[in-house]
Amino acid sequence: EIAKELDIHNIRKVIRNSGYTEGWATYMEINAYDFAVGFDTEGHQLAIKYMKYYDAFWGLINVRIDLGIHYEGWTLKQLTTWMNNFFGYPSNAGYQSSDLRAAYNQMVEIPTNVVKYNYAYSLLLDMHIKAETELGEAFNEVLFNKCLLDYGALPLEMLDAKVDEFIADQKILNGIN
């Protein structure tokens, strides 16, 4: 593993942080749409943008559903009601419990699994937006992603502090006040 080659404490080389690793994987999967090439028509670009936001949206919907099930104690019927209310469907024309049973059962069997992927992705995306906003034209995607990877699988709060350091350093290097 690349983490073993990093200049970090040995204990951090063997401890897993699945929020970071799965969040990073989701972050890269969704951001990979930005690098789609050969699709130069407006229709293709709109389709790529749609797929990117669709994936991000459904990931966060799944986080909300997981919280509903495990924090609020939703039953399958309550999940069905929430889905229909959220999407504005009348109960007789929207989701039925049979449509959601497999997803519900999977979330019951593996609590918080979707959270580590999608909540962590949203935190990494927030860091990206913060760096891009504060650095403007000086923002460099490769350097930013290198910052996210250079410290290994940090807890996301610690990684956010490292991103703040990165932003401060980039401002100095680029003469940004």
Side-chain angles (χ1 to χ4, degrees):
E1 288 196 24
I2 294 173
K4 292 178 182 172
E5 298 170 15
L6 295 175
D7 185 24
I8 58 177
H9 194 278
N10 285 335
I11 195 73
R12 287 206 30 243
K13 292 178 182 179
V14 294
I15 293 177
R16 291 198 41 154
N17 183 332
S18 61
Y20 170 89
T21 54
E22 301 304 353
W24 168 258
T26 304
Y27 171 81
M28 290 313 300
E29 286 172 13
I30 291 174
N31 285 334
Y33 287 115
D34 292 336
F35 300 98
V37 294
F39 301 102
D40 51 1
T41 68
E42 185 178 348
H44 285 130
Q45 290 301 317
L46 286 173
I48 289 167
K49 192 177 223 178
Y50 171 81
M51 290 186 299
K52 177 181 178 174
Y53 292 117
Y54 178 89
D55 285 356
F57 173 78
W58 276 103
L60 293 175
I61 289 295
N62 283 321
V63 169
R64 175 61 184 105
I65 291 169
D66 192 274
L67 290 171
I69 293 169
H70 298 290
Y71 182 72
E72 298 172 47
W74 286 355
T75 62
L76 178 58
K77 182 175 172 111
Q78 289 170 309
L79 167 60
T80 305
T81 300
W82 183 86
M83 289 289 287
N84 286 322
N85 289 339
F86 182 83
F87 289 103
Y89 296 131
S91 60
N92 63 346
Y95 289 100
Q96 303 300 312
S97 291
S98 59
D99 301 327
L100 302 170
R101 185 177 318 281
Y104 178 85
N105 287 341
Q106 183 178 16
M107 287 192 194
V108 167
E109 291 173 17
I110 312 171
T112 73
N113 189 51
V114 298
V115 175
K116 68 183 172 187
Y117 291 86
N118 298 293
Y119 179 68
Y121 157 73
S122 71
L123 294 177
L124 291 171
L125 180 61
D126 286 346
M127 292 176 212
H128 183 278
I129 291 167
K130 175 174 55 175
E132 194 171 30
T133 300
E134 290 192 33
L135 296 173
E137 293 291 321
F139 178 78
N140 180 305
E141 189 82 37
V142 173
L143 289 177
F144 176 76
N145 288 335
K146 185 176 180 329
C147 169
L148 295 181
L149 293 171
D150 275 352
Y151 303 101
L154 284 177
L156 294 169
E157 186 174 304
M158 292 175 69
L159 183 60
D160 191 40
K162 294 295 186 185
V163 167
D164 288 341
E165 290 174 19
F166 166 80
I167 292 169
D169 291 346
Q170 290 300 305
K171 283 182 173 181
I172 291 168
L173 289 171
N174 290 285
I176 299 170
N177 292 329

